[in-house]
Amino acid sequence: MNIEMGPVEERLRRTLETSGAAHLTLIDPDSQSPEAAGIMALAAAKGGTDGIMVGGSVGASGSVLQDTVRAIKSATNLPVILFPSSSAGLTPGADAVFFMSLLNSRSTSYLIENQALGAPLVLRYGIEPIPMAYVIVEPGGTVAWVGDAKCIPRAKPEIAVAYSLAGKFLGMRLVYLEAGSGAGSPVPLPFVAAVKRAVGKDTLLLVGGGIRKGEAAAELVRAGADIIVTGTAVEQSSDVSSFVSEINSSIKGRA
Ligand code: 1GP
């Protein structure tokens, strides 16, 4: 039997039913002060984002992580979902965690060891675990290097399909196709289309890495993405609320 679905996942699925797509804002605790993270989260909330992911490949742990989650929680009513690169990326106070395995990692650390080290903490902290397959496509960037990923070549969507199906058959209800934070271009559309076709409606497909414009986000949603993740473009935006609003108005209303 699969683990039970919790309120954060249910809320995301309800958003998909009503709006056709959802948007998550990724905040890296290492990129700004906790106070600035709270201000950014509030602006993203005003722009219509559906939740805040908190995580990063380097330095997203300890007190800076805990203070960032706390600041976001006090600034907004949005769900805060941890996006950890290791068991050090877990902290109390978050609502949920993408409990993921980097399926195309060469390292057992990122396949299962960090998950084993982190699982008792998830239980103790009372955070909702959301089972997710994490698959990295070229170029992959820092997360691919840190996670020792064998990046999927951009001309080989069938390999992403194979990994995504494996994740689904292992009981993961979400699949995240990642091009790497700050990638020159997002995951190619044929990947998104082929993976969505293979995993079906009930498995939620997240796409992130290199998404900077509403039109790019809309193309990914038309191809089959359920949830669009943006991090760098939000962080670099001079008007976070308008940027997030542009993304959200481009992807929603298609249900
Ligand atoms: C990184 O996919 C996310 O894990 C977000 O990428 O920073 O390029 O938006 P960006």
Side-chain angles (χ1 to χ4, degrees):
M1 195 179 77
N2 282 348
I3 63 160
E4 258 173 58
M5 206 179 287
V8 174
E9 185 179 344
E10 282 173 355
R11 177 172 164 161
L12 280 174
R13 287 178 182 272
R14 272 199 307 277
T15 300
L16 293 172
E17 274 167 28
T18 54
S19 305
H23 173 254
L24 295 175
T25 298
L26 173 62
I27 294 183
D28 184 342
D30 195 41
S31 298
Q32 64 289 297
S33 68
E35 191 197 8
I39 292 167
M40 199 188 302
L42 178 59
K46 286 187 180 144
T49 199
D50 297 293
I52 307 290
M53 288 163 60
V54 179
S57 298
V58 181
S61 60
S63 61
V64 70
L65 172 64
Q66 187 162 8
D67 293 348
T68 297
V69 168
R70 202 175 285 146
I72 296 168
K73 287 296 293 177
S74 57
T76 78
N77 292 320
L78 290 172
V80 173
I81 306 171
L82 298 175
F83 183 52
S85 60
S86 73
S87 60
L90 296 168
T91 191
D95 300 294
V97 54
F98 282 140
F99 201 85
M100 55 200 196
S101 176
L102 173 45
L103 294 185
N104 58 327
S105 176
R106 298 180 184 88
S107 163
T108 53
S109 289
Y110 296 97
L111 286 164
I112 192 60
E113 283 164 17
N114 273 288
Q115 293 78 352
L117 295 173
L121 296 176
V122 170
L123 197 62
R124 180 173 320 149
Y125 297 162
I127 306 170
E128 172 184 335
I130 303 178
M132 183 165 89
Y134 191 44
V135 179
I136 303 184
V137 178
E138 284 179 345
T142 306
V143 69
W145 188 85
V146 170
D148 198 5
K150 208 164 123 188
C151 283
I152 300 179
R154 288 179 77 86
K156 295 288 176 188
E158 63 273 23
I159 301 178
V161 167
Y163 275 108
S164 302
L165 273 179
K168 175 181 168 144
F169 296 160
L170 285 163
M172 295 155 173
R173 294 192 291 264
L174 283 71
V175 171
Y176 191 136
L177 290 180
E178 169 76 87
S181 188
S185 57
V187 170
L189 298 175
F191 275 66
V192 177
V195 167
K196 189 63 194 174
R197 203 178 313 122
V199 299
K201 184 172 184 294
D202 288 347
T203 300
L204 304 189
L205 178 55
L206 291 83
V207 180
I211 302 170
R212 297 180 184 81
K213 297 269 181 227
E215 188 41 43
E219 278 183 340
L220 290 161
V221 168
R222 281 196 293 271
D226 296 300
I227 300 175
I228 295 294
V229 180
T230 58
T232 306
V234 177
E235 274 173 21
Q236 292 178 348
S237 173
S238 54
D239 183 348
V240 168
S241 168
S242 302
F243 171 74
V244 171
S245 169
E246 181 208 330
I247 297 277
N248 277 273
S249 57
S250 306
I251 63 173
K252 288 180 176 169
R254 295 161 198 275

